[in-house]
Amino acid sequence: MDHPQDDRPYPGLPYYEDVSPGHGSLPPRAWYASSDAARLSLNGMWRFRLAATATAEDESFAHPGFDASGWGELPVPAHWVLHGHGTPAYTNTLYPFPVDPPHVPTENPTGDHRVTFDLPSADWESGEAVLRFEGVESCARVWLNGRELGTFKGSRLPHEFAVGELLRPEGNVLAVRVHQWSSGSYLEDQDQWWLPGIFRDVALLHRPEGAVADHFVHASYDHAAGTGTLRVDCEPGGRVTVPELGLDLATGESATVAVEPWSAEVPRLYDAVLATAGERVPLRIGFRTVAVEDGVLKVNGRRILFRGVNRHEFHPEHGRAVDLETMRRDVELMKRHNVNAVRTSHYPPHPAFLDLCDEYGLWVIDECDLETHGFAPLGWRGNPVDDDRWTPALLDRAARMVERDKNHPAVVLWSLGNECGTGRGLSAMAGWIRDRDPSRPIHYEGDRSCADVDVYSRMYADHAEVERIGRRTESPLPDAESDTARRAMPFIQCEYAHAMGNGPGGLSEYQRLFETYERLQGGFVWEWIDHGLAHPEHGYAYGGDFGEELHDGHFVCDGLLFPDRTPSPGLVEYKKVIEPVRIEGDGRAATVRITNGYDFADRSGLAFGWTYEVEGSLVGEGDLAVPPLAPGEALELKLPEPVGADRPGEAVWTVRAVLARDEPWAKAGHEVAWTQLTAVPRPEPVVGRRVALADSGAVFDPTTGGLISVGGLEMVSPPRLDVWRAPTDNDEGAEWQPDTRWGTVWRKLGLHRVRHRLVSVERGAEELVVVSRVAPAATDLALLSTFRWTSDGDGVRLVVSVEPEGDWPCPLPRLGVRLGVPAELGLARWYGGGPGEAYPDTRAASRLGRWTSTVDALQTPYVHPQENGARADVRWAELRDEAGRGLRVEGAPEFWFTARRWTTEDLAAAHHRPDLRPGETTWLNLDHALQGIGSQSCGPGVLPQHELRAKPAEFMLTFRAVGSEE
């Protein structure tokens, strides 16, 4: 029933609209995975019914004698909208209901859950018991055996109820009513799917007399002395033993001993036991100290550099109901890709995830379950964080986060929340957290004055601004005192490099800034995984695919992993950019410089090796002996001269750093860092003698001069100048971006519908020259292209010259030629950059070599189709059929190579992967240049050096037929 008191901030409202955090819950406490006290998981199949409103059904279902046999079933943990009861909905910032705090719509889907359980043994008959919910969205009312226990809000936070006196050996009935919308929804406007339900674990915990009520592990590290100081506070009192350290302490007692510290690079944990009269709790203790000193964030006395990601909890079938193995897979993938930090955007994760961060080694910014972004379009009118009536709810959320997670060494910063504007409630949260846990600095991005925090944090600041911040010369705040305080703080990009679709670009330039300026302590890419929900028709669904009236489309698909947790090219690029070991050198001099970029680890965990390749063929390989290197140290080494190094042709060294031994997250031999050094540059192409085109084996259209066939291989579509690409999410930009949303500019200009006017065709015995004017309608802008065909007797050579006409207001999407060949040519082989896609500002991970693939596998399966699949620095490429016959293309200079089974126009028109259906043609793009990618889907656009501006250009391509004997 509703609260009986009338002195609440909004008197007379039902509990789900009352701004209080609820009633009946026990005080928050530290979480631990296990103890010797009994635990009964209540996960499993529950009875379930759904009502359209919060008051549609009475409360009789909570009575033990109620007959629920006619109800359906629903697994717990789960979201009911992912099990056929209603539908998901996605919005980025806007509330999907009228902004009328604290009220919510009458149409408020409400799920009644019911389960019956027996106690596992007679042990439960003595002592207390606690019913624990790890996460329920968004408001719950709970009954046990017909008795109401209470209500709660705070979806991503735990709530417990004392239930010992209500339990019976058999036939216990737990009933939970869950409302999709509540006053708490106004505090949970995170960029994610709205997914109601009991989505985390439910358990019954036996609390014997004298069991641990709460405990706080204080384990600091003195880097100067090399000692750790341990104190464990506990209620009730007991003892703490750490056998490896020879410690046996009373709770509340301190001891200082020599220890190995914990860090994300060397996650040293000591097994311990906390014992009280009624319970033994295993502890894993990591000694570390976090502090801001001299304007720098330090752990154990050393500056740290975050190579981080923002992580929402997500599974394509289960939403935020994420199991332990999926969490472990996330952590292992992060470690394998050189990620060392996680911001838990924008709520505390399942507590087991933090255990994994302790174990594997990841720095964590633990963020409170708080975001009120939907008030921003209203000028922040009515923002709960600046309304004292909501402050108890905010403090409750802060306390539940801190108390639950305070014993994790991985947590190095507390974050007040995300995108809430500013207000007194945030200040109250910061004050409470500092009083409770002064050992960790506080983070919050939304207040530029940094009044309540210890670090200066920003989202999507561009490279130029980040450099100014690094120099501490950023634009001043109006208040001199606040400006001085902020300028003395370390800086973090809590979100940057928006990983939506193809991209993000500009990672390398950001990383060089982070490494150059001490104040810049890295950042967190937005975000870890695409939130595409599995869908029978679309493959993966995004906003709008479930009929939402209000949605933000595929903006929910902005991760470094695809929904099935396959790494995207963006994650492969990020791994390369953030390598903790820098390998540089001079390939011609056969010297290499190795820098240990770890903050704490020496290089003993790595082994080094080299290969020497000529024209992509291995000539020599071996191990590279690298002496010990402390963090930050560097040395130069001479590479050995391999036998066969005098073989003619382009030659490169590849130097690699790999794991020297097995780690929990990867086997020995896993590659951590690499570089390639040019030993012998690519020879200048030799233009041979010309022969008559009639003897070249090529056939040209007598009217247009288009290439019809070469060496008997028919062209489906002859080569022609191409400037269009299917805009990427970053080309399209965001609606709040300035007029550099190139996708819109390109369409407005008409680059997706250019026309080719044949100007002239000049034929000679040894040369065919075709001049065309390529231009969009309704403008006098154009590109004058000259195709000059010749032959040396082995295929045909094409020299393309391009002259822009007019004052082009924008960069070009691409500049090259497009042609179509029979679909049977479905096997690709090339010598150039690979194995994955690359673009001008996303090419750090592209390495020179000989690569093979099917045309189908060349495609990058972005949830929302867009330009993809280019390979960089290609010297030659071949497309062949199953019999080995096909086409070879050689380029001078190197070219960008793309092949797909659909046209660019088909790609641009597609909304989901299944919209793309292979045709009868393999379409080949051979580009002289491409526009960069950037991250303007939310962040900055393409840096000037990666823009493709219209200017005169010339490049050469040679086409040859290849046969099965080659």
Side-chain angles (χ1 to χ4, degrees), residues 90-93 189-193 307-313 341-347 367 371 373 417-419 458-460 493-501 503-505 507 510 523-531 554-561 568 570-571 574 730 736 934-935 937-939:
Y90 165 64
T91 60
N92 172 25
T93 63
D189 188 30
Q190 295 101 345
D191 174 12
Q192 60 181 339
W193 293 97
R307 300 172 170 93
V309 295
N310 285 275
R311 176 186 177 267
H312 267 297
E313 293 182 301
V342 178
R343 176 178 174 230
T344 69
S345 53
H346 298 292
Y347 45 83
E367 193 150 88
E371 181 168 337
H373 204 166
N418 184 67
E419 293 175 318
R458 288 286 302 283
M459 295 180 181
Y460 307 108
Q493 281 257 64
C494 69
E495 292 181 21
Y496 83 114
H498 197 248
M500 186 175 179
L507 285 170
Y510 272 124
F524 297 79
V525 169
W526 186 267
E527 66 160 298
W528 177 238
I529 188 169
D530 286 343
H531 298 198
H554 63 283
F555 201 72
V556 76
C557 296
D558 48 10
L560 293 169
L561 296 179
S568 76
L571 182 56
Y574 192 42
N730 289 303
W736 60 86
S935 64
S937 52
C938 191

Side-chain angles (χ1 to χ4, degrees), residues 34 86 416 445 578 674 808 949:
S34 64
L416 301 179
E445 181 272 342
I578 61 175
W674 62 274
W808 284 76
R949 290 290 170 177

Side-chain angles (χ1 to χ4, degrees), residues 621-675:
E621 61 183 333
D623 297 330
L624 185 64
V626 178
L629 279 177
E633 287 188 343
L635 57 76
E636 286 196 2
L637 297 170
K638 186 73 174 176
L639 294 167
E641 182 173 351
V643 175
D646 56 349
R647 183 186 301 181
E650 180 180 21
V652 296
W653 299 94
T654 301
V655 181
R656 303 168 66 234
V658 303
L659 290 182
R661 54 182 177 268
D662 289 350
E663 296 288 350
W665 43 273
K667 297 291 186 182
H670 166 80
E671 185 175 83
V672 173
W674 62 274
T675 196

Side-chain angles (χ1 to χ4, degrees), residues 95 101 186-187 370-373 375-376 378-388 390 394 419-424 426 444:
Y95 291 107
Y186 286 100
L187 305 179
L370 177 60
E371 181 168 337
T372 63
H373 204 166
F375 287 89
L378 310 178
W380 295 106
R381 291 189 308 276
N383 186 9
V385 305
D386 200 29
D387 184 335
D388 292 339
W390 292 77
L394 304 184
E419 293 175 318
C420 297
T422 59
R424 299 182 299 276
L426 291 169
Y444 175 65

Side-chain angles (χ1 to χ4, degrees), residues 195-315:
L195 299 172
I198 304 174
F199 68 94
R200 287 186 186 159
D201 307 291
V202 182
L204 188 67
L205 310 176
H206 187 219
R207 311 308 298 143
E209 184 176 352
V212 174
D214 193 17
H215 69 290
F216 197 163
V217 176
H218 305 272
S220 61
Y221 180 72
D222 184 335
H223 66 279
T227 57
T229 299
L230 176 66
R231 185 183 87 247
V232 179
D233 297 330
C234 183
E235 177 61 37
R239 300 199 68 80
V240 178
T241 54
V242 190
E244 191 175 354
L245 297 177
L247 293 179
D248 186 345
L249 305 173
T251 55
E253 178 185 355
S254 296
T256 300
V257 293
V259 298
E260 299 173 48
W262 186 96
S263 71
E265 295 166 5
V266 186
R268 182 66 161 92
L269 294 171
Y270 290 88
D271 290 325
V273 174
L274 168 62
T276 63
E279 188 176 17
R280 292 173 59 85
V281 178
L283 304 179
R284 303 201 76 189
I285 298 172
F287 291 88
R288 60 106 187 93
T289 295
V290 187
V292 175
E293 298 175 350
D294 303 320
V296 177
L297 178 66
K298 297 181 179 179
V299 176
N300 300 335
R302 297 187 64 89
R303 171 187 182 264
I304 62 172
L305 184 62
F306 292 126
R307 300 172 170 93
V309 295
N310 285 275
R311 176 186 177 267
H312 267 297
E313 293 182 301
F314 184 76
H315 188 283

Side-chain angles (χ1 to χ4, degrees), residues 164-199:
E165 63 177 6
L166 300 178
L167 291 172
R168 50 200 187 201
E170 296 179 345
N172 294 282
V173 176
L174 174 60
V176 185
R177 173 164 287 175
V178 179
H179 306 288
Q180 174 157 17
W181 309 123
S182 70
S183 59
S185 302
Y186 286 100
L187 305 179
E188 297 172 4
D189 188 30
Q190 295 101 345
D191 174 12
Q192 60 181 339
W193 293 97
W194 296 91
L195 299 172
I198 304 174
F199 68 94

Side-chain angles (χ1 to χ4, degrees), residues 794 829 878 880 884 888 960-966:
D794 182 17
R829 188 165 68 118
E878 295 177 350
R880 299 191 183 221
R888 178 183 175 99
R960 312 181 193 279
V962 291
S964 58
E965 71 281 356
E966 298 182 34

